[in-house]
Amino acid sequence: MAEKKKRTKKNELNYSKNESFENLEAVQKMALNRKGKDDEINPDISIFLKAEELKGKLCGLYNEKDSLTHNVNVMGSVKIDGKELEIKTGEKAETDNKDDRIT
């Protein structure tokens, strides 16, 4: 009996992305072939779409956290001998004041 418990724990740890993907495909097929009251095919699109979303997440298609995270270094003002230093970065944009007005 103790050996069976150890085996099931090992099997759970060996669960792979491929197995999960195959299971989600099976769920999608079941959702599309679902039968209604009169034995007519009545697909459950919401389950199909949820399985599709999970397949995409499994494959790494939805990495929103990675794309939205940006590191920005901001330096505060610097004073030396009571004088505040002006930090110049980048190029100044040339603007024509006449075009800036809203009519």
Side-chain angles (χ1 to χ4, degrees):
M1 195 79 147
E3 289 181 44
K4 286 185 180 180
K5 288 182 181 178
K6 288 180 183 179
R7 286 183 189 166
T8 56
K9 286 182 182 178
K10 287 181 183 178
N11 290 340
E12 289 174 13
L13 295 176
N14 291 331
Y15 192 69
S16 69
K17 287 183 180 182
N18 289 336
E19 288 175 305
S20 179
F21 196 86
E22 289 171 5
N23 289 339
L24 289 169
E25 283 185 333
V27 167
Q28 283 184 312
K29 287 178 186 176
M30 289 177 2
L32 289 178
N33 295 324
R34 183 178 147 226
K35 293 186 179 180
K37 294 178 183 178
D38 301 327
D39 285 339
E40 292 181 15
I41 294 179
N42 186 13
D44 191 341
I45 301 301
S46 62
I47 292 175
F48 177 86
L49 291 175
K50 184 62 179 179
E52 188 68 24
E53 179 184 354
L54 291 172
K55 283 171 41 181
K57 285 181 181 180
L58 187 64
C59 293
L61 295 177
Y62 306 110
N63 289 332
E64 295 174 14
K65 291 181 183 177
D66 294 339
S67 64
L68 295 178
T69 305
H70 300 286
N71 293 332
V72 178
N73 293 328
V74 178
M75 184 175 166
S77 62
V78 177
K79 290 186 180 181
I80 298 179
D81 294 331
K83 294 182 181 179
E84 189 171 336
L85 299 178
E86 181 182 339
I87 300 170
K88 297 180 181 179
T89 58
E91 297 177 7
K92 284 193 171 187
E94 294 182 23
T95 59
D96 188 6
N97 291 337
K98 294 177 185 176
D99 293 335
D100 290 343
R101 287 188 237 146
I102 300 173
T103 56

